[in-house]
Amino acid sequence: MRSDRHRKKRRWKKIFVLFLFILGGVIGYSYFQYKQGVNQSLKKLDGEREEEQMVYKFEGKKDQYGGTNILLLGSDARGKEKSRADTIMIAHYNEDKGTFKLTSIMRDSYVDIPGRGKHKINSAFAYGGPELMRQTIKKNFDIDLQYYAIVNFQGFVHLIDEAFPNGVEIDVEKKMSKNIDVTLEPGLQRLNGEQLLGYVRFRQDAVGDFGRVERQQKAVKAIGEQLSSIQTIAKLPKLVGVLTPYVNTNMDTSDMIFIGKDFFSGNRGTVETLRIPVEDGFTETRVKGEGFILKLDLEKNKQALHEFITK
């Protein structure tokens, strides 16, 4: 009887040691892949990396529904140059449900910026960085943001090229070339990083920024759907490493990998999207000193955003 117990103990000890060995191997491999991605991007930068990345205060927290909201800002500014946010998105992550949703806020939305008065929402970034953008979104839409990530557009290009050696499959709806540094022909095709960046930035047509926001959301969905695989999850530490030199964020690497793991999992379902302002929730007009703006029906847009997050 005693010998049976000893055998069981020895067996469990072996299993435990094996588990620790495997766990150590996974952690070591993940760290190696992460550093490989970082070094790969640094080489591509050819010494042009900013001397010191801006350090931003960000007093974020989870929203009142218990969800994690990440403020995503796209910028092509260099160094400490002041710039308005070219892209403003909120990624909504519900850990319990395993769901991801994406809200795009149009940059010409005319809102009250704390301490600055009425302006286009994208100017909040130039006035006070991601923290003032967080305060602006909270003041106008009553939603909290826990994290921020300012992504340099070149980081987006390198991430796409690393994750998709054969390109991202996108149905390009029309010929595009003006002010995007590439020429895209219509039709279903695979776009590399530079081409996809041009696709999501194009706005020189009749629908302007409305079409650009729609294409951004379409591209995010395509990336998520085409990345959902075991192979992608294994590459996730390297992908995070590739992006790291190009992103300013208050998220830890472990946070990014944890959330990214769920996003790239095939079980998360379709990424739902919302645009602010919503249909019939704004009027187009001009304001002296600001030019073309979108005047929002704040209550209608706030209600739409909260319903979108909680449904």
Side-chain angles (χ1 to χ4, degrees), residues 218-236:
K218 177 180 173 181
V220 170
K221 286 184 177 181
I223 290 168
E225 290 166 0
Q226 294 171 46
L227 271 177
S228 297
S229 68
I230 297 298
Q231 291 80 5
T232 298
I233 293 175
K235 285 182 66 177
L236 188 55

Side-chain angles (χ1 to χ4, degrees), residues 40 44 157-169 190-193 195 226-227 231-232 235 238-239:
Q40 183 175 308
K44 288 184 178 179
V157 170
H158 293 319
L159 179 68
I160 294 302
D161 287 342
E162 175 65 32
F164 297 94
N166 298 317
V168 178
E169 188 173 85
R190 290 190 172 274
L191 305 183
N192 63 26
Q195 293 168 329
Q226 294 171 46
L227 271 177
Q231 291 80 5
T232 298
K235 285 182 66 177
K238 185 177 182 181
L239 296 179

